[in-house]
């Protein structure tokens, strides 16, 4: 009886300790990491086998528009909007094709003798990295040649910047990519969406659509984002600092070095 009491107290203390140690955010990140690992293990998707893409000679780069499938018009999926605009600029907008082996939609194109693969993951933002890692493996692309395009809360709409690797800065899609690729060297194009005003929660803000006034500014943002992406894709040295174009909102240009953490 005494042993049962001691054991019960021990369990109570352990439960209390775990609740304090693992808050909701931490538990969610751990769960997401487990899901990433399971999806990457190949247990839930067929192996590529002989259907794998034949690697071509020369340089290859992967450009990824992070976002949520079915929510392409929201702030959180602005990366997908930029990728769509890039496809239009490359004259390849009608060449999207689904690829079950990478859990996404892809376009293969070329920019100044560089083979470029565009990827729109068809997985939720928190596990976008699974699609990115699969595509990198299939096309034989190194992490440093993967350019992630995503929304950025800490920049107002109209501000864009290149960040050469580093932490995810709280972005779940980038965090998933870092986890699945096991490195943080991937350059990113950070497209500002601004923080919510008033009592609007961050979650509601990022999942909402742009207002009609914001939409007018968004058109310029997409043009400048594509310009900056093409400049990055044409660089011989991916680590070379580059300046983003002047902000459509009239702000000062922001160089890539200033965006690094």
């Amino acid at each position: 009886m005494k042993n049962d009491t001691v054991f019960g107290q021990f369990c109570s203390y352990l439960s209390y300790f775990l609740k304090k140690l693992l808050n909701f955010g931490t538990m969610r990140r751990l769960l997401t990491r487990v899901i990433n690992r399971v999806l990457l293990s190949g247990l839930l998707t067929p192996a590529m086998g002989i259907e794998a893409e034949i690697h071509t000679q020369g340089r290859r780069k992967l450009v990824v528009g992070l976002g949520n499938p079915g929510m392409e018009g929201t702030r959180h999926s602005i990366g997908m909007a930029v990728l769509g605009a890039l496809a239009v600029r490359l004259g390849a907008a009608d060449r999207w094709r689904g690829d079950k082996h990478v859990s996404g939609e892809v376009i293969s194109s070329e920019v100044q003798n560089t083979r470029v693969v565009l990827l729109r993951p068809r997985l939720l933002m928190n596990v976008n990295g699974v699609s990115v890692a699969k595509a990198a493996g299939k096309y034989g692309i190194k992490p440093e040649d993967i350019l992630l395009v995503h929304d950025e809360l800490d920049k107002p709409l109209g501000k864009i910047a290149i960040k050469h690797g580093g932490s995810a800065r709280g972005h779940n899609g980038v965090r998933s990519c870092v986890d699945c690729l096991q490195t943080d060297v991937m350059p990113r194009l950070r497209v500002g969406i601004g923080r919510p005003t008033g009592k609007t929660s961050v979650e509601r803000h990022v999942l909402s659509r742009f207002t009609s006034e914001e939409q007018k500014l968004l058109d310029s943002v997409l043009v400048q984002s594509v310009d900056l992406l093409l400049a990055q894709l044409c660089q011989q040295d991916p680590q070379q600092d580059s300046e983003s174009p002047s902000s459509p909102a009239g702000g000062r240009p922001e160089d890539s070095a200033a965006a690094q953490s």
Side-chain angles (χ1 to χ4, degrees), residues 114-134:
T114 297
R115 179 60 58 181
V116 177
V117 177
L118 311 187
L119 171 66
R120 292 192 302 205
R122 303 310 294 171
L123 300 172
L124 293 176
M125 176 72 88
N126 287 16
V127 289
N128 269 192
V130 174
S131 181
V132 177
K134 288 181 176 181

Side-chain angles (χ1 to χ4, degrees), residues 216-253:
K216 297 175 183 177
L217 183 57
L218 181 61
D219 293 339
S220 296
V221 171
L222 295 181
V223 170
Q224 292 200 336
S225 295
V226 171
D227 288 342
L228 190 50
L229 280 177
L230 290 174
Q232 288 294 304
L233 293 173
C234 293
Q235 280 185 5
Q236 294 302 309
D237 180 4
Q239 289 299 319
Q240 179 182 340
D241 284 344
S242 64
E243 286 195 351
S244 61
S246 299
S247 163
R252 65 176 181 81

